[in-house]
Amino acid sequence: MSGIVVIANGAPRETTAGSTVSDFLRALALAPAQVLVEFNGEPLERERFAAVTLCDGDRLEIAQMVGGG
């Protein structure tokens, strides 16, 4: 498979064509249960991470939830 480029938090990142949002998050060592994702300007429900396939030029904003005390 060839690579595609998506824009994640304003920076271009290469990933494998056919990757889902879940695949992309795992490649970044992020746990899908601990992030919020905006996909092409719209909030993406966590339940859809594995169903949404990334295309060249897609834009993701990823916010990681951090616990504290």
Side-chain angles (χ1 to χ4, degrees):
M1 283 190 155
S2 62
I4 61 170
V5 176
V6 297
I7 308 301
N9 293 352
R13 290 199 173 256
E14 191 168 340
T15 191
T16 306
S19 292
T20 64
V21 172
S22 287
D23 297 332
F24 185 73
L25 293 172
R26 276 193 296 277
L28 296 176
L30 295 173
Q34 296 178 334
V35 297
L36 300 173
V37 175
E38 186 178 275
F39 177 71
N40 291 329
E42 298 292 328
L44 184 63
E45 297 85 7
R46 196 168 283 115
E47 297 80 29
R48 295 189 54 222
F49 287 2
V52 174
T53 302
L54 296 171
C55 296
D56 199 45
D58 279 341
R59 294 185 158 283
L60 298 169
E61 291 296 327
I62 304 166
Q64 191 171 9
M65 293 183 277
V66 179

